[in-house]
Amino acid sequence: MAKLTIHHLGGKVEEITLGEVEVYIGKSPVFKGIKNAIVFDRDNTVSRQHARLFCLEDRFYIEDLGSKNYTFLNEEPVQRARLQNGDVIRIGQNSLTFHKKNADKTEDSSALTTVHENSDTTNHTIDFNYLVMQRLSDLLKNSAGLEPFLKGTLALATEALQASYGAVLVFEQTGQPFQVVSKGSGTEYLQSIVNHTMESGRGQIADREYGELKNDRGCILCVPLENKPFPRGVIYLEHDGGPRFHRKDLKLLSDIAGQIGVGLDKIQLKKRLDVASSEKRHLEGFLDTLQQNAETNRALLNANPDLMVYLQRDGQVANCKPPRNEFPFWPEGCGGQNIREILPSEVYRQLRELMNAALMGEETQMGAFSVENRAGIRHYEVRMAASGRTHVLAIFRDITDRVLAEEAQQKLIEELREALAKIKTLKGLLPICASCKKIRDDSGYWNQLEDYFKAHADVEFSHGICEACAKKLYGEYFRKE
């Protein structure tokens, strides 16, 4: 059973029993939703949430929570330390004495001990291990990728455990390493140690005299990175003539290996998220393009006044866009019908030939046909293009106005040609009688002027008499004015 005797600023003394529940210590009764079980509200040097006491495997620890004026254990500032019977904790101007009956002084505390052989107290070793894991946590948060993370972790491990050489190997499921990072020169990792660690799935200590795998190189630590469901790799450290590794070093390296496993998961997850994010952006861009294309195509379809029909190979109507103008031969709601049932037999045979030619891979097929109804004869133009191997897109256009205009134009041209053929041009010198005004033709005959022009200029004459001739010929009928 563990107890805590508390001496408050001002002389108040109380005693509490410690259990497995965390005990928070601070100036405020509650801070950020967490209740402080021990409150020093009269001491301004105490932070609102100063420290905490917790139990781990029947061992009690004190941990400073980033206080302004530190937490002291036996007058030494600590970050995190294990408590022994009789230890005195000082928080501000208040003291707390730890009591634990039946404490086993020989109890092994290697779970959180440092790798340094010359450490004086357990409190220092706990703080050291805590700082190592804190640096590793910061490295995990700030790492930009797999290789920088492995290099940083290996540098931290070799520094903490005073190793002369180190390596991190990450394996694929096939057993082949895809990432190897090493630190130190003049040596390489022993493949036999790596293989044994991968096969056994547990950490190994090996040297010339100690461990399952004796060797002539020096002292070696090798720990698997993860063992669920199989090791993903190892972290390998080696002393070159330095101090020998111990079980506590194996525990610290195992903790580091566990963090490497977490880092691998995080980096792989980030890579998958980056890939998913990139694919999402591409998909969104593709969908935006499709949306824009769909809107563009819809606008083009709406702007097209023609009848557009999507036909299956057998002539059945799969879909259609009705024309803007009335198509007397095309019924509404004809989806599912066959064009054989819609068009006259002669027109159907013509369109069938165009469809077959389009499906055979030839270029766009064009044709024209006429349909007679109550309003008269209507003329249509059709274009057919293959859509894959089983469908044809047919576009029908009413060209009646164009055909009528062309017919009218052709008729006018013929009329003009006929008129032009009748026009005869008179040119050159005409021999004319100075007296009677008769004209001599090419045969030498003298013709009346009216007859000559009728024959050569296609003109008719109407006869009258001018006033001078009338007076001359019919003077008795004209009176002098």
Side-chain angles (χ1 to χ4, degrees):
M1 179 180 293
K3 292 185 178 181
L4 202 63
T5 302
I6 307 170
H7 296 266
H8 291 260
L9 175 65
K12 177 182 175 182
V13 179
E14 62 176 320
E15 186 176 88
I16 64 171
T17 300
L18 300 176
E20 295 183 356
V21 180
E22 292 180 323
V23 175
Y24 285 86
I25 306 169
K27 182 179 179 181
S28 303
V30 179
F31 180 69
K32 292 184 177 180
I34 299 177
K35 182 179 180 180
N36 289 322
I38 301 175
V39 180
F40 298 124
D41 54 358
R42 295 185 179 182
D43 190 347
N44 291 329
T45 62
V46 178
S47 299
R48 286 182 292 177
Q49 198 160 80
H50 198 106
R52 70 168 181 143
L53 286 160
F54 64 94
C55 180
L56 182 64
E57 297 180 354
D58 200 34
R59 298 167 183 168
F60 288 87
Y61 301 89
I62 180 69
E63 180 181 16
D64 186 83
L65 298 178
S67 64
K68 184 176 181 181
N69 295 310
Y70 309 107
T71 298
F72 294 84
L73 181 63
N74 301 324
E75 295 305 319
E76 292 288 338
V78 294
Q79 177 65 37
R80 186 181 187 190
R82 181 181 166 191
L83 297 176
Q84 303 286 349
N85 185 40
D87 283 345
V88 178
I89 305 167
R90 180 167 66 81
I91 296 178
Q93 302 179 58
N94 310 275
S95 64
L96 305 91
T97 304
F98 177 76
H99 306 282
K100 186 178 182 184
K101 294 182 180 181
N102 302 324
D104 186 0
K105 296 183 180 181
T106 64
E107 183 180 19
D108 179 22
S109 59
S110 63
L112 288 172
T113 53
T114 183
V115 298
H116 297 298
E117 298 286 342
N118 58 353
S119 299
D120 296 329
T121 65
T122 306
N123 299 328
H124 290 92
T125 62
I126 292 173
D127 287 342
F128 181 82
N129 284 16
Y130 182 82
L131 290 174
V132 169
M133 300 308 292
Q134 185 64 41
R135 286 177 59 189
L136 186 58
S137 177
D138 294 340
L139 184 63
L140 180 60
K141 292 178 182 177
N142 301 323
S143 178
L146 178 60
E147 186 173 355
F149 170 69
L150 294 179
K151 286 184 177 179
T153 303
L154 183 60
L156 179 62
T158 53
E159 176 186 354
L161 294 171
Q162 297 180 328
S164 57
Y165 171 79
V168 179
L169 294 84
V170 182
F171 293 89
E172 298 175 339
Q173 292 189 17
T174 59
Q176 298 297 322
F178 74 90
Q179 189 79 43
V180 179
V181 175
S182 60
K183 186 177 188 300
S185 59
T187 185
E188 290 185 358
Y189 61 88
L190 286 176
Q191 188 65 50
S192 59
I193 301 258
V194 172
N195 294 341
H196 189 275
T197 303
M198 291 290 291
E199 292 172 1
S200 65
R202 56 189 178 88
Q204 309 289 332
I205 299 178
D207 60 15
R208 295 185 181 91
E209 303 174 356
Y210 171 77
E212 298 181 18
L213 300 173
K214 297 180 177 60
N215 67 88
D216 57 359
R217 289 267 291 266
C219 195
I220 296 173
L221 267 181
C222 192
V223 176
L225 298 183
E226 190 177 1
N227 199 22
K228 295 184 292 184
F230 53 84
R232 299 170 65 179
V234 299
I235 179 168
Y236 175 103
L237 298 182
E238 184 173 339
H239 276 317
D240 184 10
R244 199 173 74 181
F245 290 121
H246 294 277
R247 300 299 299 178
K248 58 187 178 182
D249 305 329
L250 183 63
K251 177 64 174 75
L252 178 58
L253 190 61
S254 297
D255 292 339
I256 293 175
Q259 290 299 309
I260 294 177
V262 173
L264 290 176
D265 290 337
K266 177 185 175 183
I267 291 170
Q268 290 179 355
L269 177 60
K270 183 178 182 300
K271 182 182 290 187
R272 288 196 296 268
L273 290 175
D274 290 342
V275 171
S277 178
S278 177
E279 291 177 349
K280 180 182 177 183
R281 289 194 300 271
H282 290 154
L283 179 59
E284 289 175 348
F286 177 68
L287 291 176
D288 289 342
T289 302
L290 285 181
Q291 180 69 22
Q292 294 174 1
N293 291 341
E295 293 175 356
T296 301
N297 292 337
R298 189 179 299 110
L300 291 174
L301 288 175
N302 292 334
N304 192 335
D306 302 329
L307 169 66
M308 304 182 71
V309 184
Y310 196 54
L311 298 171
Q312 297 180 7
R313 177 185 288 272
D314 60 359
Q316 186 173 353
V317 178
N319 201 351
C320 73
K321 183 194 80 69
R324 185 173 300 174
N325 300 322
E326 181 181 357
F327 267 54
F329 77 91
W330 194 263
E332 296 183 2
C334 60
Q337 287 185 267
N338 196 293
I339 57 173
R340 185 190 302 108
E341 305 167 359
I342 300 173
L343 299 172
S345 58
E346 294 182 1
V347 175
Y348 168 74
R349 285 194 294 271
Q350 181 182 356
L351 297 187
R352 185 74 257 183
E353 293 178 0
L354 296 177
M355 286 182 60
N356 294 337
L359 289 170
M360 289 177 64
E362 299 182 13
E363 297 180 354
T364 301
Q365 303 298 307
M366 296 183 61
F369 61 93
S370 302
V371 176
E372 186 175 2
N373 55 31
R374 295 178 181 178
I377 298 177
R378 303 294 296 181
H379 304 278
Y380 301 95
E381 178 185 80
V382 61
R383 299 189 180 193
M384 288 192 174
S387 177
R389 297 183 178 180
T390 59
H391 290 76
V392 170
L393 177 63
I395 302 177
F396 296 88
R397 174 172 294 182
D398 189 336
I399 58 172
T400 302
D401 293 341
R402 188 179 74 189
V403 171
L404 294 178
E406 290 176 352
E407 290 178 352
Q409 183 182 28
Q410 187 63 31
K411 183 179 179 180
L412 178 61
I413 291 173
E414 294 297 331
E415 291 176 352
L416 291 175
R417 284 177 178 173
E418 291 178 2
L420 184 60
K422 294 179 180 180
I423 294 176
K424 297 180 180 179
T425 304
L426 296 178
K427 58 184 178 179
L429 294 174
L430 292 177
I432 186 170
C433 176
S435 175
C436 66
K437 307 301 182 184
K438 289 183 179 180
I439 298 176
R440 187 180 65 194
D441 60 19
D442 295 336
S443 299
Y445 294 101
W446 291 92
N447 301 281
Q448 291 290 336
L449 186 142
E450 296 93 327
D451 296 337
Y452 187 88
F453 274 92
K454 282 181 181 181
H456 292 83
D458 194 22
V459 294
E460 296 289 341
F461 288 88
S462 62
H463 291 82
I465 189 168
C466 67
E467 184 178 352
C469 291
K471 289 181 178 180
K472 181 179 178 182
L473 297 174
Y474 307 102
E476 64 276 16
Y477 296 102
F478 290 87
R479 292 178 302 175
K480 293 183 180 179
E481 297 178 359

